Amino acid sequence: MKLFEYMGKELFDKYNIPVPKGGVAGTPEEAAKQAENLEEAVVKSQILSGKRGKAGGIKFVSGKEHARQAADELLGMELKGLKVEKVLVEEKLPIEKEFYLAITLDGTLKKPIILASVEGGMDIEDVPEEKMVRHPINTNLGVQPYLGKDIADRLGFSGNQAKQFAKILANLYQAFKELDAELMEINPLVLAADKLIAADAKVTIDDDALYRHKDLPKVEERTDAEKKAYALGLSYVELDGNIAIMANGAGITMATLDIIQHYGGAPANFLDAGGGAGVEATAKALEILLSTNPKAILINIFGGITRCDDVATAFITVKKQRKIPVPVVIRLVGTNEDKGVQILKDNGIEAFGTMDEAAKAAVQLATQ
Amino acid sequence: MAIYIDDNTKVLVQGMTGNQGTFHSQQMLAYGTDLVAGVSPGKGGQTVEGKPVYNTVRSAVTNHQIDASILFIPAPFAKDAALEALDAGIKVVVCITEHIPVHDAMEIMAFAKEMDATVVGPNTFGLVSSGKCKIGIMPNQFFIPGNVGVVARSGTLSYEIVGNLTAAKMGTSTVVGLGGDRVVGLNFIDVLKKFEQDTETKAVVMVGEIGGSAEENAAEYIKGNISKPVVAYLAGKSAPAGKRMGHAGAIIERGRGTFEGKVKALSAAGVKVAELPFQVPQILSEIL
């Protein structure tokens, strides 16, 4: 779950990571109020995307009237395909220098890793490799004081600034660990009037750990259909094409999309019915597919933990309950395959034995 | 010879009395796995399929020789169960559970390293040395003995690949599911190393996907270290950037982990990359 910048900064504040003075606003009036005690301020639109400045989503203002005006322009605006519902109003910092600091996890090392650079304010992939500091964190030890001093030194900080940096890094790691984060990024971390301040905050929390963080704000990135699928425990992503796809397992679902595209078709979605999806969940998954008005549906099941007879039964149940207005192609093999294929046959449906034949058939039916 | 597990491997099932634990204990026994006992806290003294159930791993290992354990434990409790198995000295721990928080996975891996043990998964179908021992949830009928080693990140897709091999009358030596999560115990390189030494394995199939850099790292390793032929299939060619495609690892971000990048790296290492799953046996038959 990605958090908005203002939410990230509220968390930073709790963990004693310095952030600019200011606060979030949902209306121009609130924005004016937030700017009341600030001479020069910045009004930043809150969307879950970077490069807002270049897209016109950040405005510099003087005084509360001007802040009200800027907020009025930004709120409700569509920016990079996303609607601006809140703005963050903050003091304008006298920036002397910008740095980059992040903690994320490294799948290869199986550890958290610190990424830092003396070149901040730009996308991390644009920072030359030789200017990056990468340091894995020992899972058992965490960030010890020496490590903060060491990385501060490698970035060229000294004296009081080095102390500030080490403290920010230690606090950032504490937040990363306690909040089950996948990413905590400060870009830029700015030096202003001899103080290091987090001028931006990008925080991503591990979805699988949300159950133990009930107090965190909820940010919904999913579409309505994606939300419905998520509630059923299914993985669903909307795409642009017209062939709806259901398969069991993330890998085989991706492979099904690939093979559809290989034969000149366009997938309408990615729907992974997962392992062990029962009759009810499978029926609901089919409902979701039908709600997107595809030209054809392809069901590709290789039963392991999933049983083919359950899938067949679910399909027949839905078919009896409602009209299915588009052709459906089913490929069914694996656990209880014989039973599943027979159930379909009894209802006048032929199942395909290979993914290749089924994909070809689906593409053909969708283009007719 | 087989890798990680063989005919002699004695297996424990953690979470044996649950639905999945019971069903897959039956399936593993049917495959011929030497499953000796189970653990379900509070259910000690019961039996499943005639095998004794204990309250703790410690009591199971006191009463039996145990070489490997498989976990059918819900995500919130899976870390504790894995640590319990590792602490009891079990050297191969297979974690089927999906949706384990990634920080939990990192702690498990740190402890496994300390205990010099191998963790397979999480979010894996397990591993099988065909005809000898299956520790996992894969459908029995497709895993027949042969000389192709398979290592994969995703479950059902591996069944698809192995199913295609079986249909082409090619059996498998050992099939290893690395798991679809961002932090998993084994990576391609660990398993490739083992296959290289395994006299039973003549060629290796790598089943990968977009996201992360596991395939690129493997390609780098294959160049100087693997003499056996390697064929790869990668899922996710058509996936749009920035969308998470089911597997936590399968996300393309910041231009890393792309399909094209992986194909390029593997091809440069001499790996033949199949465009579609059914091409894998074709390519193998040309090599073998």
Side-chain angles (χ1 to χ4, degrees):
Chain A
M1 180 179 72
K2 285 182 189 159
L3 297 184
F4 288 103
E5 176 191 4
Y6 76 91
M7 293 172 173
K9 282 184 170 161
E10 283 166 9
L11 290 174
F12 281 3
D13 190 44
K14 261 193 211 163
Y15 281 90
N16 292 316
I17 296 164
V19 293
K21 272 183 236 144
V24 71
T27 63
E29 286 63 42
E30 281 171 19
K33 197 150 186 294
Q34 293 287 11
E36 229 161 30
N37 299 316
L38 306 174
E39 266 178 48
E40 299 282 306
V42 52
V43 182
K44 301 168 89 177
S45 51
Q46 298 294 289
I47 54 167
L48 295 174
S49 173
K51 299 190 179 156
R52 290 166 297 175
K54 279 182 202 151
I58 295 177
K59 293 184 187 293
F60 291 92
V61 298
S62 336
K64 62 186 252 189
E65 270 322 303
H66 196 182
R68 184 200 308 270
Q69 215 174 55
D72 193 39
E73 284 167 37
L74 291 174
L75 287 165
M77 168 183 180
E78 186 128 323
L79 206 59
K80 305 188 82 177
L82 302 161
K83 196 176 163 201
V84 179
E85 282 168 1
K86 288 204 158 77
V87 292
L88 178 59
V89 183
E90 286 183 335
E91 63 175 319
K92 187 178 171 225
L93 299 167
I95 298 173
E96 289 156 44
K97 201 162 170 8
E98 299 186 322
F99 304 89
Y100 177 95
L101 176 64
I103 299 176
T104 187
L105 53 98
D106 186 314
T108 305
L109 300 171
K110 302 165 202 174
K111 287 174 186 169
I113 185 167
I114 298 164
L115 303 176
S117 172
V118 286
E119 290 198 0
M122 54 156 94
D123 283 325
I124 194 63
E125 62 262 38
D126 299 334
V127 176
E129 194 58 40
E130 65 274 13
K131 292 198 169 157
M132 286 291 300
V133 172
R134 290 172 192 272
H135 195 97
I137 300 170
N138 182 315
T139 316
N140 297 327
L141 299 177
V143 172
Q144 299 288 327
Y146 79 87
L147 190 54
K149 284 182 224 156
D150 175 46
I151 291 175
D153 187 56
R154 283 152 78 180
L155 291 173
F157 289 113
S158 60
N160 184 31
Q161 286 171 17
K163 271 187 199 156
Q164 289 181 47
F165 178 85
K167 195 162 164 251
I168 289 173
L169 179 64
N171 292 344
L172 194 67
Y173 179 70
Q174 195 193 348
F176 177 80
K177 192 160 166 57
E178 286 180 3
L179 300 171
D180 275 298
E182 291 178 358
L183 172 72
M184 290 247 165
E185 183 185 77
I186 307 175
N187 187 26
L189 173 67
V190 303
L191 180 65
D194 209 33
K195 283 216 162 61
L196 285 170
I197 301 169
D200 198 354
K202 203 190 240 181
V203 174
T204 307
I205 307 292
D206 178 6
D207 288 331
D208 289 334
L210 287 177
Y211 71 90
R212 52 191 181 202
H213 299 286
K214 299 229 160 43
D215 48 339
L216 279 178
K218 297 277 165 286
V219 179
E220 190 54 79
E221 286 176 75
R222 299 177 179 90
T223 64
D224 284 349
E226 286 173 359
K227 262 186 264 180
K228 252 194 234 164
Y230 182 75
L232 293 169
L234 309 172
S235 244
Y236 180 85
V237 179
E238 276 178 346
L239 303 170
D240 297 332
N242 56 14
I243 301 174
I245 287 160
M246 180 172 102
N248 63 324
I252 201 169
T253 310
M254 272 191 277
T256 312
L257 304 189
D258 296 347
I259 199 166
I260 284 288
Q261 207 181 50
H262 178 82
Y263 286 121
N269 65 278
F270 165 101
L271 197 160
D272 171 13
V279 174
E280 203 182 333
T282 310
K284 284 187 178 146
L286 272 167
E287 290 291 339
I288 291 170
L289 293 188
L290 286 167
S291 74
T292 62
N293 300 317
K295 280 259 176 104
I297 296 178
L298 171 59
I299 301 174
N300 182 20
I301 303 295
F302 203 120
I305 214 170
T306 303
R307 299 168 207 176
C308 292
D309 48 341
D310 282 351
V311 175
T313 306
F315 180 70
I316 299 302
T317 310
V318 176
K319 194 163 179 277
K320 282 181 180 159
Q321 277 168 5
R322 59 153 22 247
K323 198 173 165 298
I324 297 182
V326 294
V328 181
V329 176
I330 305 181
R331 183 275 181 124
L332 200 56
V333 296
T335 308
N336 294 350
E337 174 180 334
D338 297 349
K339 282 190 211 166
V341 170
Q342 192 59 45
I343 292 169
L344 291 178
K345 210 171 209 170
D346 293 344
N347 287 275
I349 299 159
E350 285 296 325
F352 284 89
T354 74
M355 176 165 157
D356 193 45
E357 291 165 341
K360 269 189 220 164
V363 172
Q364 200 190 9
L365 287 165
T367 44
Q368 266 172 13
Chain B
M1 205 180 143
I3 66 172
Y4 299 108
I5 55 174
D6 59 28
D7 315 65
N8 301 316
T9 305
K10 308 252 181 290
V11 180
L12 177 76
V13 178
Q14 287 175 260
M16 197 189 210
T17 57
N19 263 341
Q20 298 292 359
T22 303
F23 177 75
H24 289 289
S25 292
Q26 287 162 1
Q27 293 293 311
M28 283 187 277
L29 284 164
Y31 192 79
T33 302
D34 192 4
L35 201 166
V36 295
V39 171
S40 286
K43 304 273 171 75
Q46 297 186 5
T47 58
V48 171
E49 297 290 304
K51 305 296 174 189
V53 175
Y54 296 89
N55 284 321
T56 64
V57 177
R58 179 75 59 197
S59 54
V61 299
T62 314
N63 290 290
H64 303 267
Q65 184 201 326
I66 310 270
D67 305 305
S69 179
I70 179 166
L71 272 60
F72 294 100
I73 304 286
F77 315 105
K79 178 180 95 178
D80 195 49
L83 298 179
E84 185 187 5
L86 292 165
D87 199 16
I90 297 176
K91 291 299 173 199
V92 176
V93 174
V94 178
C95 187
I96 303 296
T97 314
E98 57 178 345
H99 299 305
I100 293 184
V102 71
H103 282 255
D104 289 7
M106 288 192 287
E107 285 179 44
I108 294 169
M109 301 322 157
F111 190 49
K113 195 168 180 195
E114 201 176 300
M115 299 302 285
D116 196 23
T118 299
V119 174
V120 185
N123 191 10
T124 173
F125 58 86
L127 74 169
V128 52
S129 279
S130 300
K132 294 174 181 154
C133 179
K134 173 184 112 165
I135 308 181
I137 58 172
M138 49 294 234
N140 290 347
Q141 68 268 34
F142 298 100
F143 295 84
I144 55 168
N147 58 16
V148 181
V150 179
V151 53
R153 277 169 73 180
S154 53
T156 324
L157 185 56
S158 323
Y159 310 163
E160 176 73 38
I161 300 288
V162 174
N164 274 300
L165 292 176
T166 314
K169 307 240 177 314
M170 291 177 182
T172 45
S173 49
T174 298
V175 180
V176 183
L178 303 176
D181 286 356
R182 284 176 62 188
V183 170
V184 289
L186 287 178
N187 60 39
F188 284 118
I189 298 173
D190 299 324
V191 182
L192 282 163
K193 256 185 217 170
K194 293 268 188 184
F195 277 138
E196 177 71 11
Q197 291 156 11
D198 179 27
T199 49
E200 234 169 62
T201 303
K202 296 277 178 271
V204 180
V205 177
M206 269 175 69
V207 184
E209 61 188 38
I210 52 162
S213 51
E215 290 81 2
E216 288 88 337
N217 296 340
E220 210 38 58
Y221 181 80
I222 288 168
K223 265 184 209 165
N225 302 286
I226 302 294
S227 64
K228 294 180 182 177
V230 182
V231 178
Y233 170 75
L234 306 172
K237 185 181 184 182
S238 60
K243 290 262 191 187
R244 212 175 272 257
M245 307 300 275
H247 276 159
I251 184 169
I252 307 181
E253 257 180 348
R254 307 176 168 196
R256 283 175 52 223
T258 63
F259 180 83
E260 292 74 19
K262 288 177 193 286
V263 171
K264 203 174 151 196
L266 287 165
S267 303
V271 175
K272 296 230 171 9
V273 183
E275 265 195 60
L276 298 170
F278 68 87
Q279 292 169 348
V280 171
Q282 284 171 17
I283 298 174
L284 276 173
S285 64
E286 287 159 23
I287 295 170
L288 286 169

